[in-house]
Amino acid sequence: MKKKTQINTKAVLRVFWEHVWPYKGIAFLTVFMLSAGQVAWVIVPLYYKRMFDLLSGDASAGSMSTGDALFRTLVLIAIFHGVVWVGWRSALLLSNWLQPRIMADLEQTSLRYLHDHSYRFFTNNFAGSLVRKVSRLARAFEDFADQVQFQFIPLLIILAGNLYVLSTRSTTLTIVLLGWVVAFLGFNTIYATWKLKYDFRRSEIDSEATGVLADSITNATTVKLFTGKAHEFGLFREVTERLRRANMFTWNLNEIMEATQAALMFIIEFVVMYMAIRLWQDGLFTIGDFALLQGYMLGIFDRVWNFGRAIRKVFTALADADEMVQILEQPHEVVDVHNARALQVNAGEIEFKGVSFNFNQTRRVLHGELVPAPEKLVS
């Protein structure tokens, strides 16, 4: 099978979606509960703002005393935190049922499709590599689903909610923060896309190392009989060294990204707080607004920071899944003709014409020779 230079993302997502669809009701309920919890999380800082405004005298307690208003605000904060807790835990429990079921379905689909491939297919692929690809497809779905469910959906809700609320306090400040978020996420996406080719290469080397190890252990008796220990160790040392270098390189790329992210966050926090102080000096911001702004910025920082990791994990998951999806997309070499009749053998005869045979892709022993027909078999 030819090595690909890029991932067939559509094919991977189609395979994932085909296995999610039978459980669409549970999947929708999981997303709903998660979203409800995140909406409540957006609301909580509004009540912290009110609490600080009550303490500073920037808000009126109405007919109640300031103390009663504070206690009432505290109760509302507790209620919304409870909604966050229920939504998040419900989503986790539903996901704990859903994801293992889909992962099992993916592994069963993979094995079923593998067994329909031809003998030539199995001679051209390490058994260990095939095992690795099957298990990696299931793990890739888990990683992909985790990032969508626990990173991208919360990120979308938190960003939309936080920026909307901040826009009611200062349009200029919101535009600055929105511009920074767009630039930050865009930079992360571009960087992760550029880094994808190295993640893909690392996955290929990892599969190769697993295949070499499995093949060596499976044939341990043959290795001993033909004194091949040094040769086998040399092969494994070479591939694991390549894997070590690939891991170190991709990890260093991750460190560069995280260092850049931290610097960008320091800059925007200084800029936003400077603007907030100017707004306070002009009488447009209250003490509670500072609490609201800090709470929202911390929430945004947490989500966009995780976005950098999440986008890298998604691309890595797609690269890991692509190897098995290539096999699932590869047509079977030997298939029954359409409307084939059931086999009925009334007499036996074996005849060889133009026989070719390969042990693998590089070792051919028969080149289309004409082999004399043996005596007829008696059924």
Side-chain angles (χ1 to χ4, degrees), residues 267-319:
I267 292 170
I268 192 60
E269 185 173 17
F270 174 83
V271 171
V272 167
M273 282 301 173
Y274 172 80
M275 293 178 65
I277 292 173
R278 296 299 299 268
L279 290 169
W280 176 76
Q281 289 176 329
D282 294 338
L284 300 176
F285 249 38
T286 66
I287 299 299
D289 286 323
F290 280 92
L292 177 71
L293 180 61
Q294 187 65 20
Y296 277 175
M297 284 185 62
L298 289 175
I300 291 173
F301 284 174
D302 178 62
R303 288 303 170 188
V304 297
W305 178 275
N306 288 334
F307 177 83
R309 296 180 181 179
I311 199 69
R312 291 194 297 273
K313 287 182 179 180
V314 164
F315 282 134
T316 301
L318 293 174

Side-chain angles (χ1 to χ4, degrees), residues 344-348 379:
Q344 293 182 352
V345 180
N346 299 319
S379 61

Side-chain angles (χ1 to χ4, degrees), residues 107-332:
E107 291 180 325
Q108 292 164 20
T109 297
S110 299
L111 181 61
R112 189 182 303 113
Y113 197 84
L114 273 175
H115 273 303
D116 286 335
H117 274 296
S118 65
Y119 175 77
R120 191 207 310 256
F121 173 86
F122 289 99
T123 60
N124 292 331
N125 289 275
F126 283 120
S129 290
L130 293 176
V131 171
R132 182 77 164 178
K133 290 172 184 178
V134 171
S135 61
R136 184 178 284 164
L137 175 63
R139 288 202 317 273
F141 171 79
E142 180 186 12
D143 291 340
F144 179 84
D146 280 348
Q147 302 317 307
V148 171
Q149 180 178 342
F150 300 117
Q151 299 300 334
F152 295 153
I153 293 177
L155 171 65
L156 180 62
I157 295 173
I158 293 295
L159 281 181
N162 289 5
L163 291 174
Y164 172 76
V165 174
L166 288 177
S167 69
T168 64
R169 305 302 301 147
S170 170
T171 303
T172 303
L173 189 151
T174 304
I175 291 173
V176 170
L177 190 55
L178 175 61
W180 178 86
V181 168
V182 171
F184 187 94
L185 298 183
F187 176 70
N188 270 272
T189 303
I190 293 171
Y191 188 89
T193 303
W194 169 79
K195 180 177 170 287
L196 177 61
K197 57 181 175 289
Y198 300 109
D199 291 327
F200 189 59
R201 180 56 183 158
R202 181 201 57 78
S203 295
E204 289 181 337
I205 298 173
D206 186 44
S207 290
E208 183 183 352
T210 303
V212 170
L213 176 62
D215 189 62
S216 180
I217 293 175
T218 302
N219 296 283
T221 302
T222 304
V223 171
K224 289 180 178 294
L225 290 174
F226 292 90
T227 62
K229 179 180 176 181
H231 173 73
E232 291 295 316
F233 182 75
L235 288 176
F236 189 62
R237 179 174 56 191
E238 187 275 334
V239 72
T240 51
E241 276 298 304
R242 284 193 285 120
L243 180 59
R244 178 191 64 81
R245 290 193 296 270
N247 280 331
M248 183 176 67
F249 183 71
T250 54
W251 293 351
N252 284 338
L253 291 179
N254 289 341
E255 289 303 318
I256 292 172
M257 167 55 74
E258 294 190 356
T260 304
Q261 287 184 169
L264 291 174
M265 287 179 177
F266 293 151
I267 292 170
I268 192 60
E269 185 173 17
F270 174 83
V271 171
V272 167
M273 282 301 173
Y274 172 80
M275 293 178 65
I277 292 173
R278 296 299 299 268
L279 290 169
W280 176 76
Q281 289 176 329
D282 294 338
L284 300 176
F285 249 38
T286 66
I287 299 299
D289 286 323
F290 280 92
L292 177 71
L293 180 61
Q294 187 65 20
Y296 277 175
M297 284 185 62
L298 289 175
I300 291 173
F301 284 174
D302 178 62
R303 288 303 170 188
V304 297
W305 178 275
N306 288 334
F307 177 83
R309 296 180 181 179
I311 199 69
R312 291 194 297 273
K313 287 182 179 180
V314 164
F315 282 134
T316 301
L318 293 174
D320 287 345
D322 185 69
E323 290 185 309
M324 187 62 218
V325 171
Q326 286 184 55
I327 296 175
L328 294 175
E329 292 284 300
Q330 181 182 352
H332 293 129

Side-chain angles (χ1 to χ4, degrees), residues 362-375:
T362 59
R363 187 179 177 190
R364 173 172 285 188
V365 294
L366 294 178
H367 302 264
E369 287 86 348
L370 292 175
V371 180
E375 294 182 0

